Amino acid sequence: MTEEQPATPPDIDPEQLRAAVEQLGKALRAWAEAVAPAVRAITQAFAEAAEAARTARQDDYALAPPPVAPRDRPAWQSPYGPARPRRRQH
């Protein structure tokens, strides 16, 4: 077997590194400034939704309308007759 030689670090010019870090910082700042209005809008929308949920009455957000007439059969009884027996899986 051959032994792996440790990788030699590349020659890095400090000025190039400093310039790359500066460019990256500028790009990140520009991105943050670009997305800030959208983040603020989403934050405001969530705050409004949370406030609406806090102040809502129970009837304001009911999922289903109340039944119009009482049911003519128990909830477990199907209008289609009894369930068919299932085959057993082997």
Side-chain angles (χ1 to χ4, degrees), residues 6-18:
T8 58
D11 292 330
I12 298 174
D13 182 21
E15 284 301 315
Q16 285 181 335
L17 180 62
R18 196 171 299 118

Side-chain angles (χ1 to χ4, degrees), residues 59-85:
D59 294 339
D60 289 344
Y61 56 93
L63 296 178
V68 178
R71 294 181 173 259
D72 60 348
R73 63 185 166 272
W76 54 265
Q77 191 177 21
S78 169
Y80 305 107
R84 295 180 180 213

Side-chain angles (χ1 to χ4, degrees), residues 9-84:
D11 292 330
I12 298 174
D13 182 21
E15 284 301 315
Q16 285 181 335
L17 180 62
R18 196 171 299 118
V21 169
E22 190 174 315
Q23 285 179 345
L24 180 61
K26 285 180 184 179
L28 288 174
R29 279 189 292 278
W31 178 82
E33 289 173 8
V35 300
V39 171
R40 284 189 199 103
I42 291 171
T43 304
Q44 182 65 31
F46 277 126
E48 290 171 4
E51 182 62 27
R54 271 195 298 276
T55 60
R57 295 175 304 159
Q58 184 175 3
D59 294 339
D60 289 344
Y61 56 93
L63 296 178
V68 178
R71 294 181 173 259
D72 60 348
R73 63 185 166 272
W76 54 265
Q77 191 177 21
S78 169
Y80 305 107
R84 295 180 180 213

